[in-house]
Amino acid sequence: MSWSDPARRFEPAEDVQLRAELRDLLGLGPVAASRPTEPTPELTALADDLRREAQRRSRTERKRPTWGLLATAALPLLAALVGLGTWGFQQKHRADGLVAQAQRQEQELTRLAALHASELAKERQVKEEAQQQLQLVAKKGGRKGEPYLVIPVEKPLKTMGDDYQRVKQNPQ
């Protein structure tokens, strides 16, 4: 608050005394209390001129369009949306890649399953043919008492170890 402000009518005596001492030190001398007086015609004319100039400036003041203000406010939102769109686009490409990889794996598994099934069918067919041949041989009377084909196997020569212990007797 300025020292010349008329709103300082109700201030403590210490402040008034301090201000008076400061005025004396600065060489300003005592200030006479100004009484409100009626404005002079010069002051009235000056006030009217100032009012007219203020109105002229307020009318001619360039006002910003509201769309520019809205566009400025929307820039962060637009940046966030672009960022989310880019992230979503990357996630979509990632998901498409994973789906394509899963489809390739599924096709490979299907191919391997079909290959395995055909191999099993071939093995089954070979076993059936072998069984049919055994039945034919058994019907023709190859060996009596053996209804199926016996394939002789040569047994390798066994060596007896030191810690070998016989459990049964050899039948003679």
Side-chain angles (χ1 to χ4, degrees):
M1 190 182 300
S2 172
W3 63 270
S4 63
D5 191 6
R8 290 187 176 257
R9 283 187 280 180
F10 306 108
E11 61 183 329
E14 298 89 26
D15 288 349
V16 172
Q17 184 182 5
L18 184 63
R19 196 175 311 104
E21 287 178 20
L22 184 61
R23 241 184 281 130
D24 288 342
L25 288 174
L26 291 174
L28 295 175
V31 174
S34 59
R35 290 183 289 152
T37 59
E38 290 193 27
T40 63
E42 296 168 346
L43 287 177
T44 308
L46 181 62
D48 287 341
D49 287 342
L50 287 174
R51 190 177 316 109
R52 267 187 264 122
E53 180 65 19
Q55 288 175 350
R56 184 190 68 80
R57 286 187 180 187
S58 70
R59 281 192 303 260
T60 60
E61 184 178 302
R62 182 172 170 244
K63 295 185 179 181
R64 288 187 175 175
T66 56
W67 62 266
L69 183 63
L70 289 176
T72 305
L75 281 176
L77 180 62
L78 182 63
L81 288 175
V82 166
L84 284 174
T86 303
W87 179 78
F89 190 68
Q90 289 173 349
Q91 295 301 315
K92 182 186 180 305
H93 277 294
R94 218 170 174 193
D96 289 344
L98 290 174
V99 166
Q101 182 182 2
Q103 287 175 348
R104 283 192 303 270
Q105 287 177 348
E106 185 178 344
Q107 288 173 352
E108 181 67 18
L109 288 175
T110 305
R111 186 186 65 78
L112 289 175
L115 182 64
H116 183 66
S118 66
E119 288 175 0
L120 286 178
K122 286 179 185 176
E123 287 179 15
R124 191 177 308 122
Q125 186 179 6
V126 168
K127 284 181 182 178
E128 287 175 1
E129 289 175 1
Q131 188 69 24
Q132 288 174 358
Q133 288 177 357
L134 285 175
Q135 288 174 357
L136 285 176
V137 169
K139 284 183 183 177
K140 289 183 180 178
R143 289 187 181 177
K144 303 275 182 180
E146 291 185 27
Y148 52 89
L149 180 65
V150 177
I151 302 173
V153 176
E154 293 182 21
K155 296 184 180 178
L157 190 60
K158 292 185 182 178
T159 59
M160 296 273 223
D162 294 338
D163 60 344
Y164 182 73
Q165 188 177 25
R166 193 172 287 264
V167 178
K168 288 185 174 179
Q169 295 287 342
N170 279 341
Q172 296 180 0

